């Protein structure tokens, strides 16, 4: 065994996936989604998988939650997952307990090649060794291996209880300790409001909720460790500036009644028939050329401002893929956006500086940050993933005293 192999940490795959769409049409979408996910597992062959799902059971969860069992059974029984002998799965499915229901699903799989893996018990305040596969579902409020919170109702005023919140777990893998936080922040309810100003009211709601999450992580009674936060942040572009850029030579027409604007239409000046460049309504964002979002998307980075408000605490690898939302939910269309919202990178994997230090660097250890299912329908959100090699033996105390190169069986 060479020095490179001896010092090689386990391959880590972090996945963020808003899966609401696949439970709305499970017969058609679930097989496609699972095939693409499992092909990614087969291709990168990680030794640890963390998949953070949002909207488990879909938007119509009262009737669609039953399909989650099918999803879980197919995932666990698949050939690609046979080598993962340890798993912990948390499914917050109890929609009747409205004050705590988040519809978050966190899936964690440890490959048999990893010798030492533990999960933190938040009540006992100590790590527990992993063995076997365990699924926690329904009402999971009393399960000690997670820290779950739903955002207060007043965080998103004038709306009924949302399903937004976060679910946090802590891990010791190869004697490196870190938190994994599944998060779902508030959406934009109206394009007409989002386009008025920057930051929009919705951006401020998200900012408040993420600040709350980071504060809960940093100020609780537990040891401070590196953290990866990934999920559907619902981050949106500076819509006002995007519209100005798209419609720089167009004339705005406001349509409404009783003093209420219902539609904004931007028509190209100087054209014979007044070509419509963009139409905006509460739930309509219809631009005549989708290529500017899916193939020529780099110009949009300048308007991706929401994460920058946390740049002093959260980092991200370079984004080299198109906006992850809102893709068509038609299984025949894998590269078309719906004409409902301005495309944006809603789904992200963010990390603290100390977590970034856990990513091995070098020619053999180049991390990959990308989208899953580029050419197939994965629902309105494309899952995104981060694959990297974990720097081992960064834990404190007894964790650093163990002999190195004992974690991964090659």
């Amino acid at each position: 065994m060479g020095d490179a192999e001896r010092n090689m940490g386990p391959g880590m795959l972090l996945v963020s996936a808003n899966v609401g769409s696949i439970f709305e049409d499970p017969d058609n979408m679930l097989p496609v989604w699972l095939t693409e996910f499992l092909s990614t597992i087969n291709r990168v062959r990680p030794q640890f998988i963390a998949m953070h799902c949002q909207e488990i059971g879909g938007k119509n969860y009262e009737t669609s939650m039953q399909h989650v069992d099918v999803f879980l059974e197919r995932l666990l029984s698949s050939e690609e997952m046979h080598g993962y002998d340890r798993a912990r799965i948390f499914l917050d499915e109890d929609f009747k307990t409205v004050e705590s229901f988040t519809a978050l699903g966190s899936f964690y799989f440890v490959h048999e090649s990893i010798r030492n893996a533990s999960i933190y018990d938040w009540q006992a305040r100590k790590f527990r060794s992993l063995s076997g596969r365990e699924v926690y579902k329904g009402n999971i409020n009393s399960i000690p291996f997670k820290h779950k919170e739903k955002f207060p109702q007043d965080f998103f005023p004038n709306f009924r209880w949302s399903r937004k919140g976060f679910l946090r777990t802590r891990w010791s893998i190869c004697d490196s300790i870190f938190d994994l936080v599944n998060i779902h922040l508030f959406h934009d309810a109206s394009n007409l409001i989002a386009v008025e100003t920057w930051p929009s009211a919705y951006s401020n709601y998200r900012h408040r909720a993420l600040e709350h999450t980071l504060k809960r992580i940093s100020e609780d009674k537990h040891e401070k460790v590196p953290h990866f936060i990934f999920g559907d942040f619902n981050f949106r572009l500076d819509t006002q500036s995007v519209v100005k850029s798209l419609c720089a030579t167009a004339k705005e027409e406001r349509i409404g009644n009783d003093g209420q604007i219902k539609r904004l239409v931007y028509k190209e000046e100087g054209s014979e028939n007044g070509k419509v460049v963009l139409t905006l309504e509460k739930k309509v964002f219809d631009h005549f050329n989708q290529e500017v979002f899916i193939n020529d998307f780099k110009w949009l980075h300048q308007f991706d401002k929401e994460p920058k408000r946390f740049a002093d605490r959260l980092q991200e690898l370079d984004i080299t893929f198109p906006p992850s939302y809102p893709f068509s939910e038609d299984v025949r269309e894998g590269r078309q956006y719906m004409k409902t919202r301005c495309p944006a990178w809603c789904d992200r994997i963010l990390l603290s500086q100390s977590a970034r230090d856990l990513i091995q660097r070098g020619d053999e250890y180049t991390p990959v940050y990308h989208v899953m299912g580029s050419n197939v329908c994965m629902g309105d959100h494309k899952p995104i993933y981060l694959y990297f090699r974990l720097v081992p033996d960064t834990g404190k105390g007894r964790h650093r005293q163990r002999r190195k190169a004992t974690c991964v069986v090659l």
Side-chain angles (χ1 to χ4, degrees):
M1 184 186 299
D3 290 340
E5 289 180 314
R6 184 174 290 108
N7 296 321
M8 183 172 63
M12 310 284 287
L13 181 68
L14 311 185
V15 180
S16 174
N18 185 314
V19 293
S21 293
I22 70 173
F23 296 109
E24 303 300 321
D25 184 15
D27 292 339
N28 292 311
M29 297 189 68
L30 195 152
V32 175
W33 198 99
L34 278 175
T35 296
E36 191 65 29
F37 173 77
L38 293 172
S39 69
T40 302
I41 301 300
N42 192 50
R43 175 168 50 84
V44 303
R45 298 184 180 278
Q47 288 147 317
F48 180 87
I49 302 169
M51 179 169 66
H52 286 176
C53 294
Q54 304 80 43
E55 293 196 11
I56 284 287
K59 294 179 176 61
N60 300 310
Y61 45 82
E62 293 93 341
T63 56
S64 301
M65 194 65 76
Q66 58 182 319
H67 302 305
V68 177
D69 287 342
V70 177
F71 173 80
L72 183 60
E73 191 278 329
R74 292 184 185 179
L75 178 63
L76 292 176
S77 63
S78 64
E79 182 179 350
E80 291 83 354
M81 302 303 293
H82 281 176
Y84 297 89
D85 60 342
R86 285 152 292 173
R88 293 296 181 271
I89 298 172
F90 304 86
L91 301 173
D92 188 11
E93 301 176 318
D94 185 15
F95 55 82
K96 293 183 179 179
T97 309
V98 68
E99 67 276 6
S100 63
F101 175 55
T102 64
L104 293 174
S106 295
F107 300 72
Y108 305 102
F109 300 93
V110 182
H111 196 266
E112 59 193 5
S113 59
I114 291 184
R115 287 177 173 170
N116 49 313
S118 303
I119 189 171
Y120 191 65
D121 183 327
W122 297 93
Q123 294 179 9
R125 299 180 67 178
K126 64 181 180 179
F127 282 96
R128 309 282 191 182
S129 296
L130 291 180
S131 63
R133 291 175 165 183
E134 295 185 9
V135 178
Y136 307 107
K137 53 184 296 189
N139 189 319
I140 62 172
N141 292 337
S142 63
I143 302 301
F145 303 110
K146 59 93 193 78
H147 166 208
K148 179 176 75 77
E149 290 189 23
K150 183 171 183 171
F151 296 127
Q153 189 172 11
D154 63 357
F155 273 29
F156 198 26
N158 303 321
F159 288 88
R160 63 183 177 86
W161 268 109
S162 71
R163 291 163 288 162
K164 308 302 191 288
F166 69 88
L167 193 157
R168 171 188 177 200
T169 56
R170 177 167 293 184
W171 298 84
S172 176
I173 302 295
C174 292
D175 297 336
S176 286
I177 300 173
F178 50 87
D179 282 355
L180 301 176
V181 183
N182 187 353
I183 194 166
H184 194 184
L185 300 182
F186 306 108
H187 63 282
D188 277 17
S190 170
N191 294 321
L192 297 174
I193 294 177
V195 77
E196 288 178 350
T197 185
W198 171 261
S200 71
Y202 307 121
S203 176
N204 288 331
Y205 297 155
R206 289 186 285 272
H207 185 271
R208 181 183 183 185
L210 186 51
E211 282 281 9
H212 171 83
T213 303
L214 294 176
K215 184 176 181 180
R216 297 290 287 144
I217 292 173
S218 65
E219 296 184 1
D220 67 14
K221 61 185 178 182
H222 303 277
E223 180 183 358
K224 305 303 171 280
V225 303
H227 49 268
F228 299 82
I229 305 181
F230 50 112
D232 180 4
F233 290 84
N234 260 316
F235 287 156
R236 306 302 169 98
L237 303 182
D238 174 356
T239 307
Q240 183 184 62
S241 296
V242 171
V243 170
K244 286 181 179 179
S245 181
L246 290 172
C247 306
T249 61
K251 183 178 180 180
E252 181 187 79
E253 179 181 346
R254 295 173 172 251
I255 302 171
N257 53 57
D258 299 327
Q260 296 291 319
I261 301 299
K262 302 294 184 181
R263 179 184 301 168
L264 299 176
V265 179
Y266 298 84
K267 295 182 179 180
E268 194 172 272
E269 290 187 311
S271 61
E272 293 184 5
N273 300 317
K275 177 183 175 182
V276 175
V277 177
L278 175 68
T279 301
L280 280 183
E281 297 178 13
K282 180 179 180 179
K283 294 185 178 181
V284 173
F285 188 98
D286 185 1
H287 188 260
F288 79 99
N289 179 17
Q290 287 207 0
E291 292 298 309
V292 300
F293 299 111
I294 198 161
N295 288 326
D296 305 321
F297 60 85
K298 291 183 179 179
W299 70 280
L300 296 170
H301 284 303
Q302 62 186 306
F303 306 117
D304 184 32
K305 299 177 180 178
E306 289 199 46
K308 293 180 174 63
R309 302 174 78 179
F310 295 90
D312 59 330
R313 287 165 288 172
L314 294 174
Q315 302 185 20
E316 185 177 23
L317 275 67
D318 291 340
I319 294 177
T320 59
F321 48 87
S324 61
Y325 171 88
F327 278 92
S328 171
E329 296 172 305
D330 187 332
V331 293
R332 299 166 296 182
E333 299 178 349
R335 292 180 59 82
Q336 293 291 317
Y337 287 110
M338 290 190 289
K339 297 178 180 181
T340 54
R341 305 290 184 195
C342 178
W345 289 280
C346 292
D347 311 276
R348 316 290 278 252
I349 298 177
L350 305 183
L351 45 154
S352 64
Q353 176 58 58
S354 55
R356 189 162 187 146
D357 292 341
L358 294 179
I359 298 178
Q360 283 190 336
R361 303 286 178 168
D363 294 339
E364 299 179 34
Y365 308 124
T366 303
V368 178
Y369 188 36
H370 206 59
V371 67
M372 192 179 295
S374 297
N375 298 310
V376 299
C377 177
M378 302 291 283
D380 57 348
H381 290 258
K382 295 279 190 189
I384 58 134
Y385 69 91
L386 173 62
Y387 176 75
F388 64 95
R389 289 281 179 179
L390 178 72
V391 176
D393 300 287
T394 62
K396 298 180 180 179
R398 64 181 181 87
H399 294 276
R400 293 194 61 84
Q401 295 171 11
R402 294 178 178 176
R403 182 171 58 90
K404 292 187 178 182
T406 61
C407 180
V408 179
V409 179
L410 299 175

